[in-house]
Amino acid sequence: MTTISRRTVLQGMGVSALATALSGLPVLAQDRTAIRIGYAISKTGPNAAGAGISTTPNYLLWVDDVNKAGGITLSKLGVTLPIEVTEYDDRSTAEETVRAIERLATQDNVDLILPTWGTGANLASGPTFDRFGYPQLAGTAVTDMAPDLVKRWKHSFWMLGGGHDYAEALVALLVKQRDAGTINNKVAIASVADGFGIDLSKAATPAFTEAGFELVYDKTYPLGTSDFAPVISEVAGLGVDTFVAFSYPPDTFALTQQSVVANFSPKVFYLGVGTAFPIYPGIAGPNHNGVMGIGGIDPDSEALAAYFERHTALNGQAPDNWASAITYASLEILAQAIERVGDIDREAISAEISSGEFDTIIGKVKLVDNQLRSLWTVGQWQDGKFVGLAHTERAGAREPVVPKPAWVPAA
C-alpha cells in the first residue's frame, strides 16, 4: 500500500517529550507514553470535500481538546496519557480504506481506529474493523442495514440512522404541506448511485407512494456526475412543487447552481449531504435561504455553540450542521468508555459503548442496539442558520418555511 500521509498529532502537549514514535510491537503498560489512535480518511478524491468538513476537523478538535485537558486516564494502569495519531489517505476508495485499516492493526499496532467518511466506505470497512476487534463508531454512515449489521459486527456502532428515518420524516413534513394546500402532489427524486443514495431512495420511493404522492421522476445518476442540466431540464417540465435529491457534496452544490441558472425553482428544494455544510451559503449565495436538506441542529444549544466556537478557532472553519456534531459526540463517547474501562481493552470498550449512557455536546446519549436513535432528520436554511424542523419534535425544532423564496437570478 502506498502511504500518502502519515503523521503524529500531539496537540496541546509537550511535543518534545512525546515525539518518538512507538515501535510496531506491543508495549508494556509502564512504557506507554500515549494512546495510539489511527484512521484512514479521504484527503484526496471525490470524498475529500465531505471528509474535510464533517470528519477530519472533528478528529483534530477531539485530539486537541483531550490533550489540552491532560489526556485520557487509564485507571487500571495508573496513568493519564495523551493521544497520538497515525493518519492515512484512503484516496476516496473503499479498497484503500480497508488496506489502511489492516496496516494500522497489523503493522502500526494502534490501540484504536476511527472510521472513515461516508456510507459506502463504512460498510466496506465494517468486516475489517470487526475482524481485528476494533470498535467502529460510524458517524457519517446512513444505512437501513444497521440493525442487521450490529448482529454481524458486534463492535460496530451506527450514529446517523437509516434511510427510512430521513425519508419518512421528509414525507411526513410534506404531507402536512400538501394537505394544507401549500404544495401539489407531484414529486421528483434524483439519487446518487452510491450506498447513501441507494439507501435513501429505496426508503423514499415507497414512503412517498404510500402517502399518496405522484412520483413523476425517480432516477439515479452516477457518482461523480457534474452536469445535471439533463436532469433539471426533464424535471422542470413535469410540474413538480417538490424536488428531492439524495446527493453527495459536489452534486449538492452543482444541483443548486445549475437549478438557479435554469430558473428551476420549486416550492420545496431538498438536497442531501452538503446542504448542512457551512460553505453552502457561500456557494448558493442568497438562494440558500429556504433550501431543505438532510440533518439539522438546535442553534440555541449552549453546548453546540461552545463546540462551534472551538471547532472554528482550531480549524479555521465552522462545522457542518448535522454529522459534525454527531461525529464529535461519538468521540466523546469513546473517550468516556475508555476511562470507565480503565485500560485499552477493546472488547470491554465496545461493551461499554453499547450499554452505557454518555454526556455529549448533543446531550445525554444512550445507544439502542448499537445505534443512535435521537436524530435530526430534516433541516432548512432559515435566516443564515441550518435549523432542525418542527416535525422532529425535538427541543429547538423550527417550523418549515414553504414555499421557499424564489431564486435570485445568477449574476
Side-chain angles (χ1 to χ4, degrees):
M1 181 185 76
T2 301
T3 302
I4 303 303
S5 173
R6 182 183 182 187
R7 64 180 178 173
T8 300
V9 180
L10 299 166
Q11 295 168 299
M13 302 296 295
V15 176
S16 61
L18 299 171
T20 302
L22 298 175
S23 71
L25 298 174
V27 296
L28 299 175
Q30 62 266 31
D31 294 329
R32 273 191 176 275
T33 58
I35 295 172
R36 296 165 296 174
I37 303 287
Y39 56 83
I41 201 70
S42 301
K43 308 285 284 186
T44 57
N47 292 345
I53 290 178
S54 299
T55 303
T56 307
N58 285 291
Y59 289 175
L60 297 177
L61 177 62
W62 178 64
V63 172
D64 189 66
D65 284 347
V66 168
N67 287 351
K68 282 181 176 176
I72 295 176
T73 298
L74 304 180
S75 57
K76 292 182 179 178
L77 304 183
V79 294
T80 299
L81 299 176
I83 296 171
E84 176 185 282
V85 171
T86 300
E87 175 193 76
Y88 293 107
D89 181 3
D90 68 17
R91 302 180 182 181
S92 298
T93 71
E95 295 83 1
E96 197 73 22
T97 301
V98 171
R99 282 195 290 268
I101 291 171
E102 289 179 344
R103 178 166 184 165
L104 287 165
T106 62
Q107 297 183 39
D108 297 313
N109 294 308
V110 297
D111 297 309
L112 295 159
I113 300 176
L114 305 182
T116 189
W117 181 91
T119 300
N122 274 284
L123 292 173
S125 58
T128 309
F129 271 92
D130 192 66
R131 177 157 56 95
F132 290 107
Y134 286 93
Q136 179 190 17
L137 286 140
T140 58
V142 175
T143 177
D144 279 328
M145 295 189 292
D148 294 325
L149 295 176
V150 299
K151 296 174 184 177
R152 191 186 317 162
W153 309 327
K154 65 178 181 178
H155 304 95
S156 71
F157 304 91
W158 303 88
M159 311 299 291
L160 281 188
H164 71 282
D165 294 309
Y166 298 93
E168 291 171 7
L170 175 62
V171 171
L173 182 152
L174 295 176
V175 164
K176 292 181 180 179
Q177 298 299 316
R178 179 195 62 191
D179 293 350
T182 310
I183 60 174
N184 67 21
N185 207 42
K186 294 183 177 182
V187 176
I189 301 176
S191 309
V192 61
D194 181 75
F196 168 80
I198 292 169
D199 207 71
L200 268 292
S201 63
K202 283 176 62 177
T205 296
F208 274 113
T209 301
E210 290 168 11
F213 284 95
E214 181 185 359
L215 281 178
V216 298
Y217 184 95
D218 186 7
K219 298 181 181 180
T220 63
Y221 59 86
L223 183 68
T225 298
S226 59
D227 181 7
F228 290 94
V231 174
I232 295 168
S233 177
E234 184 174 355
V235 172
L238 298 176
V240 301
D241 278 350
T242 301
F243 175 70
V244 174
F246 298 123
S247 51
Y248 267 163
D251 330 341
T252 295
F253 307 148
L255 279 163
T256 302
Q257 294 168 330
Q258 293 172 32
S259 292
V260 172
V261 170
N263 197 29
F264 170 57
S265 185
K267 293 180 179 180
V268 174
F269 192 73
Y270 172 101
L271 302 169
V273 183
T275 316
F277 284 6
I279 60 174
Y280 185 79
I283 290 168
N287 292 310
H288 75 279
N289 194 38
V291 173
M292 291 186 190
I294 194 167
I297 61 166
D298 173 8
D300 298 325
S301 164
E302 292 183 3
L304 282 180
Y307 156 71
F308 266 61
E309 184 176 350
R310 296 197 315 279
H311 185 291
T312 304
L314 181 70
N315 295 298
Q317 66 182 34
D320 76 24
N321 298 281
W322 176 40
S324 282
I326 299 297
T327 297
Y328 188 87
S330 74
L331 300 171
E332 292 180 300
I333 291 170
L334 178 62
Q336 290 171 42
I338 295 170
E339 291 203 326
R340 291 176 190 177
V341 170
D343 195 358
I344 303 300
D345 179 338
R346 291 190 285 269
E347 199 70 31
I349 292 168
S350 292
E352 179 59 30
I353 294 171
S354 182
S355 62
E357 183 177 69
F358 304 91
D359 292 313
T360 76
I361 59 169
I362 60 173
K364 286 192 177 295
V365 170
K366 184 174 178 59
L367 302 184
V368 178
D369 296 328
N370 287 19
Q371 301 161 71
L372 179 65
R373 299 302 303 148
S374 180
L375 303 166
W376 287 109
T377 49
V378 183
Q380 184 179 42
W381 283 102
Q382 297 181 5
D383 301 321
K385 297 179 180 179
F386 192 73
V387 300
L389 297 182
H391 72 286
T392 57
E393 299 179 355
R394 288 189 56 170
R398 307 296 174 87
E399 292 291 338
V401 175
V402 179
K404 74 164 187 62
W407 296 137
V408 175

